[in-house]
Amino acid sequence: MTIHTPPPEGGRIIDEPMEQALSRRYLAYALSTITNRALPDVRDGFKPVHRRILYAMHQMRLNPQSAARKCAKVVGEVMGGYHPHGDASIYEALVRLAQDFAQRYPLVDGQGNFGNIDGDSAAAMRYTECKLTPAAQLLLEGIDQDAVDFKATYDDQDKEPVVLPAGFPNLLANGSSGIAVGMATSIPPHNAGELIEACQLLLTNPAATTAELAEIVPGPDFPTGGVAVEGHASILDAYETGRGGVRLRARWETEDLGRGVWRIVVTEMPYQVQKSKLIEALADLIEQKKAPLLADVRDESAEDIRLILEPKSRTITPEVLMESLFKLSDLEVRFPINMNVLDATGTPRVMGLKECLRAFLDHQREVLNRRSQWRIDRVEKRLHLLEGLRIVFLNLDEVIRIVREEEQPKAVLIARFGLTEVQADFILDTRLRQLARLEEMTIEKEFSELSEELARLQALTSSEGKQWKAISKELETVRKALISPRRTTIAEAVDASAFVAPEAFIPREAITVILSERGWIRAAKGRVEDPSELKFKEGDKLAFLVPGFTTDKLLIAASDGRIFTVGADRLASGRGHGEPLRLMIDLDEKAEIINVLSHQPGGRLLIASKAGYGFIAPEDELLAQKRGGKQVLNGDLLAVLRVTGDHVAAIGENIKTLIFPLAELPEMGRGKGVKLQGFKQGGLADVTMFSAEQGPEWVDGGGRRRQWPDWKDWLGKRAGAGRQGPRGLRKFR
């Protein structure tokens, strides 16, 4: 057996601390993710994969006038020549460039199934075909005229552009999103016509403010339309700082069915919301009784979106129904704005609207100068050749003699007429038919035209003012090519408080809430007179019985100090065993239910912990909007009682009892509270409240209620130790 040993020095063994090795490698990975995958370039708005797809299609001559080619062919070209990653990721990026509901200005003309707004995926790449759109051609125009820098591809076999010429501000027109290491980007689409008008304003007035630009670009323009209900001040702040967000709502209209009957028709979806998932979510809201105003939802869409929402009652208004659904579903979404991009030096930066447009215009000037210089070089070369031909026509007989008789005509022509080698080679390669009188006139005309063009180009490259004027003219041409009406309506922020809450339309019916020891909850109609007749699952029994109404909010207190809020209208009917409470709230597995109360507006609750601390909490501050409830007490919760009297009676685990005035307890929304009773060992066993006029009561071991006429003997100050209570007193309830 041969034993391989590493060389004593060198080789692949590196002695380096693990922390430094991991730090350096992770930093390299993070930078690669930021610059090569997640963040777009501010100049052309592309990530590398999109730029490579468009350039590969350009190289394949898949222009709008040509026939489409299989997407598999395009993906193969991109993967083999420019993008050494999986074909699935490349095809996914290509498909997105073709989706008119994802791109405000699609850059790929897809033929076949490229997915839809319902979330259905595109067909396999072997079935679909594609070519470039006119908008994509505008982004690539001039790329063969040295307009941008090129770099070597991953295998050094070819060249790829560092950035595209970008004939319009694609970064803002089509938007972008991505997540890198430690940073992300989210840029909404805009109307290209408005963006170009804003660029024109910057060209005429470089000192224009973001507020002036926002008058031209009032907000994002999403491909799926919708209504942006973010206030103008909020959008302006996002454009100023590069960070913010915009609330986007579905567009809807009311369809009158006669006799006071109506229904809602949704015609435009919020951006990036899948219609099929939205319908499922609305159906779940109906089933779980979370949308009390909505009776039914169905999809009648064909080519256009038509989502039907049926109200539960004709007495409500369409506005109230929609406002409730905007809160509960993705009929309203918030699109984040985080304009984090790579600047011209490749540095990640958060830019505002003006900075992005300024960077685009600076890029356009560089492209213009490079294209002009590329054209100047070619015009000068052509003029140089034409000057040689002019000499030939002036000395035609002599040139013919030299060519026929001299052994080295090239050297003689150079010496005789002062030609360059390039001119001499061109003359010797010229056919006799080009020496006709007609050709001479053509050459003179071409020479004159090229001379004028050269003078114009040289004047352009030497004058910054003429450059900006030329860019302005080109942008106006592009604007006319891309002009399209705005799809997203910009509206002022809606004050939801102006509408009646959906709960107001819930019919008020008497119910009894039934919660079992194992956590199954239900609501029986009317009042339960005899709890013994209630049926439960085997091994389960009654824990709480709370009378109330369907319009009530239930406050459910847990032993971990949290109080949850559940609408009584959401509870399952009392015919069965109900449903697990844990499906409605995020209750910890180790936590137990301490009490269930029906919320009374303006009411107060006594909160007491096992450690002997407590306080008075306003009920209105305990209502929670989330499944996770509201953390009210810092500690283990012992009791939550509605304030009914003017005195508090506390008994510790040491059987000592203390009574003190309720007024000694502070009122607070959450916290630890103050000490109710002092203990050397153990904690609080129970607590109750009573009125001084009626006196307290307690329950003995046999379940009999006992009066306590001499309770004043135990009256003291809060936080006192108390003294031994009446015989048999262990708990009050």
Side-chain angles (χ1 to χ4, degrees), residues 43-44 138-139 141 147-148 163-170 199 203 357-372 467-468 470-472 474-475 478:
R43 296 169 291 179
D44 63 0
L138 292 173
L139 297 174
E141 190 173 352
V148 293
V163 66
L164 297 186
F168 64 93
N170 178 63
C199 289
L203 292 178
L357 294 178
R358 186 76 258 173
F360 166 74
L361 290 174
D362 291 340
H363 176 57
Q364 286 302 294
R365 185 186 174 201
E366 181 182 354
V367 168
L368 176 67
N369 282 327
R370 293 186 61 148
R371 291 181 66 185
S372 299
Q467 292 168 13
W468 290 126
I471 290 172
S472 176
E474 289 180 1
L475 287 176
V478 172

Side-chain angles (χ1 to χ4, degrees), residues 144-156:
D144 297 325
Q145 299 175 1
D146 193 36
V148 293
D149 288 330
F150 279 71
K151 65 179 181 180
T153 56
Y154 68 93
D155 58 359
D156 289 329

Side-chain angles (χ1 to χ4, degrees), residues 487-508:
R487 299 179 186 176
T488 300
T489 304
I490 305 297
E492 284 300 317
V494 177
D495 183 10
S497 61
F499 296 93
V500 180
E503 291 79 2
F505 295 92
I506 300 173
R508 191 171 189 268

Side-chain angles (χ1 to χ4, degrees), residues 186-307:
S186 179
I187 303 172
H190 292 77
N191 188 283
E194 295 174 352
L195 294 173
I196 292 176
E197 288 183 20
C199 289
Q200 299 284 21
L201 176 60
L202 282 178
L203 292 178
T204 56
N205 180 20
T209 63
T210 304
E212 293 173 327
L213 295 175
E215 293 180 2
I216 301 173
V217 186
D221 189 22
F222 296 96
T224 54
V227 180
V229 293
E230 199 71 31
H232 176 73
S234 178
I235 294 178
L236 178 59
D237 182 66
Y239 283 162
E240 191 80 53
T241 62
R243 299 183 187 274
V246 57
R247 283 191 298 155
L248 184 65
R249 289 182 169 184
R251 191 183 300 277
W252 60 277
E253 57 190 31
T254 305
E255 194 173 85
D256 189 0
L257 303 178
R259 297 185 179 182
V261 181
W262 54 269
R263 63 185 181 185
I264 298 294
V265 180
V266 176
T267 57
E268 291 179 0
M269 300 288 293
Y271 185 53
Q272 293 182 340
V273 173
Q274 295 181 6
K275 178 159 60 67
S276 58
K277 290 187 177 181
L278 175 62
I279 294 172
E280 290 178 9
L282 290 173
D284 288 341
L285 289 175
I286 296 173
E287 184 178 353
Q288 297 174 13
K289 299 182 181 181
K290 294 181 180 179
L293 308 184
L294 183 63
D296 189 24
V297 56
R298 63 180 182 274
D299 187 10
E300 294 183 359
S301 304
E303 293 183 0
D304 297 329
I305 292 177
R306 182 177 170 83
L307 191 62

Side-chain angles (χ1 to χ4, degrees), residues 64 125 166 195 220 266 306 355 381 463 482 489 502 594 615 692 732:
M125 68 180 79
L195 294 173
V266 176
R306 182 177 170 83
E355 283 184 287
K381 289 179 181 178
S463 171
L482 294 177
T489 304
I594 299 299
F615 57 92
F732 298 113

Side-chain angles (χ1 to χ4, degrees), residues 93 97 108 113 128 160 211 242 360 376 401 559 571 595 673 711:
L97 292 176
V108 172
N113 177 15
T128 55
E160 64 173 309
F360 166 74
I376 287 173
R401 186 195 65 77
S559 58
L571 301 180
N595 201 0
W711 61 270

Side-chain angles (χ1 to χ4, degrees), residues 550-580:
T550 52
T551 54
D552 289 348
K553 296 288 186 183
L554 298 178
L555 297 177
I556 302 175
S559 58
D560 58 1
R562 288 190 294 171
I563 293 183
F564 303 88
T565 304
V566 176
D569 60 299
R570 293 174 49 194
L571 301 180
S573 66
R575 295 181 180 178
H577 298 296
E579 61 181 353

Side-chain angles (χ1 to χ4, degrees), residues 532-544:
S532 62
E533 295 181 358
L534 296 174
K535 295 182 180 180
F536 298 91
K537 288 179 177 289
E538 186 177 351
D540 201 3
K541 61 181 180 179
L542 179 67
F544 297 95

